[in-house]
Amino acid sequence: MCGMNAVRSPMAEALARQALPPTIFVASAGVRTGERDPFVDVVLAEDDLSLQDRLPKAIDDLDDGYFDLIVTLAPEAHHAALELTRSMAVEVEYWPTPDPTTAVGTREQIMAAYRDVRERLKTRIARRFIGLGSGDADD
């Protein structure tokens, strides 16, 4: 879950779907919906992944309202998830993730910011769900 479900959380969803067994339900959403970001498509394609025709959606748009775990990637999303789950038995984890849309400079510098987010998310997913690494996101 992130702010607008346009960059970080759809990227995390695609990476988690690739890394986890298909029996595990994975979905992403935002506090509100934003516009699809073409840089996300480019960096996912570099890993042979695609969002296909997926569009950003808000948490209220998800078909399933029951989750065992909500991973939040932005402060706004974390606060919203805690409020949403206040009376539910759902684990909420906060993975601080930079917003690559704030990157400035050349196209390559901007792409580097998106690639950095992709790699951070791949590492966190592997450490949390596959048991690879120490669990420290800064390694």
Side-chain angles (χ1 to χ4, degrees), residues 109-124:
Q109 290 169 319
I110 293 168
M111 290 297 299
Y114 280 77
R115 288 181 185 114
D116 177 62
V117 168
R118 179 193 63 205
E119 295 306 309
R120 286 174 187 247
L121 290 170
K122 279 186 351 188
T123 299
R124 287 299 296 254

Side-chain angles (χ1 to χ4, degrees), residues 31-84:
V31 175
R32 62 194 172 285
T33 57
E35 296 294 320
R36 187 160 168 166
D37 187 313
F39 287 114
V40 172
D41 294 317
V42 173
V43 298
L44 287 177
E46 292 174 350
D47 275 8
D48 295 322
L49 294 172
S50 170
L51 296 178
Q52 298 167 342
D53 61 351
R54 185 196 179 288
L55 296 173
K57 54 189 157 194
I59 190 73
D60 295 335
D61 298 333
L62 292 179
D63 294 332
D64 189 344
Y66 176 79
F67 301 96
D68 295 315
L69 172 67
I70 297 175
V71 174
T72 61
L73 305 172
E76 176 185 26
H78 190 67
H79 294 297
L82 291 175
E83 181 63 28
L84 175 74

Side-chain angles (χ1 to χ4, degrees), residues 73-136:
L73 305 172
E76 176 185 26
H78 190 67
H79 294 297
L82 291 175
E83 181 63 28
L84 175 74
T85 62
R86 188 172 35 167
S87 61
M88 301 165 63
V90 177
E91 187 178 352
V92 178
E93 290 183 14
Y94 178 44
W95 296 358
T97 306
D99 180 358
T101 65
T102 63
V104 295
T106 66
R107 183 179 193 282
E108 191 53 39
Q109 290 169 319
I110 293 168
M111 290 297 299
Y114 280 77
R115 288 181 185 114
D116 177 62
V117 168
R118 179 193 63 205
E119 295 306 309
R120 286 174 187 247
L121 290 170
K122 279 186 351 188
T123 299
R124 287 299 296 254
I125 290 165
R127 288 177 176 164
R128 172 60 168 88
F129 299 107
I130 304 168
L132 302 176
S134 67
D136 183 358

